[in-house]
Amino acid sequence: MDTKTLLTPIEYLKGVGPGRADLLKTELGIHKFQDLLQFFPFRYIDKSRFYKISELQDSSAEVQILGKITNVHTVPMKRGKRLVAEFEDDTGAMELVWFRGHKWILENLKINAPYVIFGKLNYFNGSFSMPHPEIEELEKAKTKAQIKLQPVYPSTEKLSKRGISNRVISTLMLSLLEQSKTFQETLPNNVMSDLKLLSKTEAMQNVHFPQSAELLGKAQFRLKFEEFFYIQLQLLRKNAIHKIKIKGFTFKQVGDYFNSFYNSVLPFELTGAQKRVLKEIRKDLGSNAQMNRLLQGDVGSGKTIVALMTMLMAIDNGFQACLMAPTEILATQHYEGLSELCEPIGVEVELLTGSTKKKDRKILHERLRNGELHILIGTHALIEDTVQFKNLGLAVIDEQHRFGVAQRAKLWKKNSLPPHVLVMTATPIPRTLAMSLYGDLDVSVIDELPPGRKAIKTVHRYDSNRLKVFKFIKDEVDKGRQVYVVYPLIEESANFDYKDLMDGYASIEREFPKPTYQISIVHGKMKPEDKAYEMDRFVKGKTQIMVATTVIEVGVNVPNASLMIIESAERFGLSQLHQLRGRVGRGAEQSYCVLITGKKLSSDGKTRMETMTATNDGFEIAEVDLKLRGPGNLMGTQQSGVLDLKIADLVKDNQILKTARSYAHHVINADPNLQMEEHQMINLTYRVLFKDKTIWNYIS
Ligand code: ADP
Ligand code: MG
């Protein structure tokens, strides 16, 4: 079937017509022949096997049995009656049951004739029955072409109500496949022979109507590979073209600011991972392409210092830099930390947030435009149009998942050429997923914590043990440490959660009375200045206990805090728990995290608690999270079109993804524009595939 035919509107398929076409479009998104062909079964019914009645085990299994009907009778029910047939083979007996359609059955069933029945089992009172079986005389069944693995397609309630059953879809599919006959090959010869792939034609036929389980497996492999291959090809190509086309400012030198910071201010030795990442960044900045780099590093791995040193490279080359954070608290903390480090080398830093006063703002704008200001730190306030730089060369974005594409686009327009972009995230994204999501970004990973850190000890306790937990808090506080107590506040407006928080606060106040103890509270309903005030008291050690909602999740750094209590921990996702835990363990002292939950936990909930107590490794935790929740629910992935896969599965087909990516790499490295003779087939397929689809314009 050629490309043009594939694009034929679905109503032109025999057996469809306007009414069904409408349903197929609205319910299943099938508009064209091609869409129907790519509507894959989600499972298959195995009719290659006949069961004996004595072998039956699982209720609700679908089985096929050969036997005969010995007797039919009706059984009255509260309303109406049911028709029951005794069915037996040489190993036992069971019942077939009909709740409707009695007349047809009674008139057509033959007693003692051999039948093939198929359907779902019910188990009740020690025996099996099968409601509404598919039933066929053995003689007739023999004459039919043997389709052993029957496809089952996804359906919707509306479709089944309107009579578009699985059988209808199968019939349509069969007729389309018969009409298609052959499909143009879409993968190059060398890949086909390397991986011993089925041809496109064989794959399409076998994925819908498998001739055997083995061929089905091969068909699925081939189609999954193809799906990943073209997505990866697109992402890598975007990246390659980006590097060729999007010119960036070339930072020629590493100069005085960087060197004097490195030699006389930097308070510690950089870790090996930090050095490696800085080299990767340096290489990007020294080329003439615009940098688009994602910096992944677990909480506490020391991303901030890497960001600062990158900004110093910009300043050494006569450019300004900005650092954008998702919350005011975090921006303020960055500002305080960085201005202290910048002061000795004469780098000018300012803070801009929603609560910056108008007159301060005016001065700040002025200093930004005349270039006096080197580094601007802030919330999203700094991408507003009124904020104009003299010469912005680098934008660092902390905790990227909170920023949307449109906001990033605004950043690009802040200079004649787009500034270099460094995106930092502490949400470790499993490598599998990173490949798909960020195929068009370059990724650096800090996979090493600064030396001397003690692993945080994590325990799980039930509500009923709260008194012991309070005692533990007391012990830590008496040693001079500080403590976080975090409550879930899923939606800032949920009064229910808010009450939990306030009740918790009250009971902690009772347990830890003033003036011996001082307690801070921070939540989303407070005014920004009140939040900042409370936060500040905790940071300065004036309060020992911080009762808070997840506003403290991101980035806050209090090295003296050694204990993190998480209330209703079962209500948090794994990555959030890990983020929260990362608030402690930043100083030299042994730190602890206590997860408090109710007695009743879902099995996922249990897995989360077990994972948290078993490991501190963010990547490991992210892998578990991915398995528990699937890729669509992980932070930062929601807007990604690449997760909308037709046949492949990012988690289960990880290995195929890697293979596909490495082949795609090969092609793009050799030929980013797909112009070589041997890539013409890829080029053609690529253009058809992505003609009216843009897979997630991540940065553009
Ligand atoms: P994150 O990656 O979570 O943003 P930070 O940048 O806030 O981590 O760093 C956490 C803490 O570790 C900070 O107090 C920082 O000064 C410190 N730190 C960073 N790098 C090193 C290092 N190489 N050696 C010792 N301490 C470091
Ligand atoms: Mg940070």
Side-chain angles (χ1 to χ4, degrees), residues 170-231:
S170 300
T171 312
L172 292 178
M173 198 69 80
L174 197 61
S175 92
L176 183 52
L177 279 171
E178 270 163 10
Q179 182 182 337
S180 313
K181 293 199 183 73
T182 59
F183 292 89
Q184 241 153 37
E185 189 44 64
T186 46
L187 289 171
N189 281 334
N190 68 316
V191 177
M192 297 286 294
S193 57
D194 276 9
L195 298 174
K196 303 196 173 52
L197 299 179
L198 289 190
S199 71
K200 178 91 175 191
T201 305
E202 286 171 295
M204 288 305 287
Q205 282 164 348
N206 277 287
V207 80
H208 291 292
F209 302 101
Q211 284 174 319
S212 68
E214 194 199 342
L215 280 169
L216 171 60
K218 286 188 168 168
Q220 287 171 323
F221 182 89
R222 185 223 137 100
L223 295 169
K224 287 171 178 180
F225 177 89
E226 179 175 350
E227 183 164 41
F228 280 140
F229 177 76
Y230 279 99
I231 289 173

Side-chain angles (χ1 to χ4, degrees), residues 106-126:
L106 280 171
E107 280 167 9
N108 289 278
L109 273 191
K110 295 182 187 145
I111 302 293
N112 286 329
Y115 277 104
V116 175
I117 62 160
F118 178 86
K120 219 181 214 178
L121 289 175
N122 254 344
Y123 186 73
F124 186 69
N125 266 353

Side-chain angles (χ1 to χ4, degrees), residues 289-403:
Q290 184 233 15
M291 174 172 80
N292 246 314
R293 189 168 279 278
L294 178 74
L295 174 55
Q296 285 202 59
D298 216 336
V299 277
S301 60
K303 294 183 293 292
T304 318
I305 212 78
V306 171
L308 173 61
M309 293 176 75
T310 306
M311 293 194 278
L312 294 180
M313 290 182 206
I315 300 164
D316 271 334
N317 288 275
F319 291 91
Q320 293 163 299
C322 67
L323 168 60
M324 212 161 42
T327 62
E328 191 152 344
I329 292 179
L330 188 57
T332 309
Q333 197 164 49
H334 274 317
Y335 169 70
E336 283 164 359
L338 294 185
S339 39
E340 201 178 306
L341 290 167
C342 286
E343 206 262 336
I345 49 171
V347 165
E348 293 290 318
V349 187
E350 268 300 345
L351 175 69
L352 176 69
T353 70
S355 41
T356 305
K357 301 255 164 20
K358 211 168 178 183
K359 71 171 201 302
D360 296 340
R361 211 176 265 248
K362 219 176 141 201
I363 303 169
L364 189 151
H365 282 170
E366 181 53 36
R367 295 183 67 213
L368 207 54
R369 273 196 302 269
N370 68 25
E372 234 176 88
L373 209 55
H374 297 114
I375 295 178
L376 182 62
I377 295 174
T379 54
H380 55 268
L382 60 76
I383 52 175
E384 280 162 21
D385 294 336
T386 48
V387 180
Q388 286 166 7
F389 293 82
K390 180 173 183 221
N391 195 11
L392 180 67
L394 168 73
V396 181
I397 301 170
D398 201 7
E399 310 295 346
Q400 55 85 27
H401 56 268
R402 312 262 170 132
F403 284 103

Side-chain angles (χ1 to χ4, degrees), residues 268-271 274 298-304 450 453 557 586:
F268 38 68
E269 176 78 13
L270 293 177
T271 63
Q274 286 170 320
D298 216 336
V299 277
S301 60
K303 294 183 293 292
T304 318
R453 294 273 170 82
N557 189 17
R586 305 193 143 220

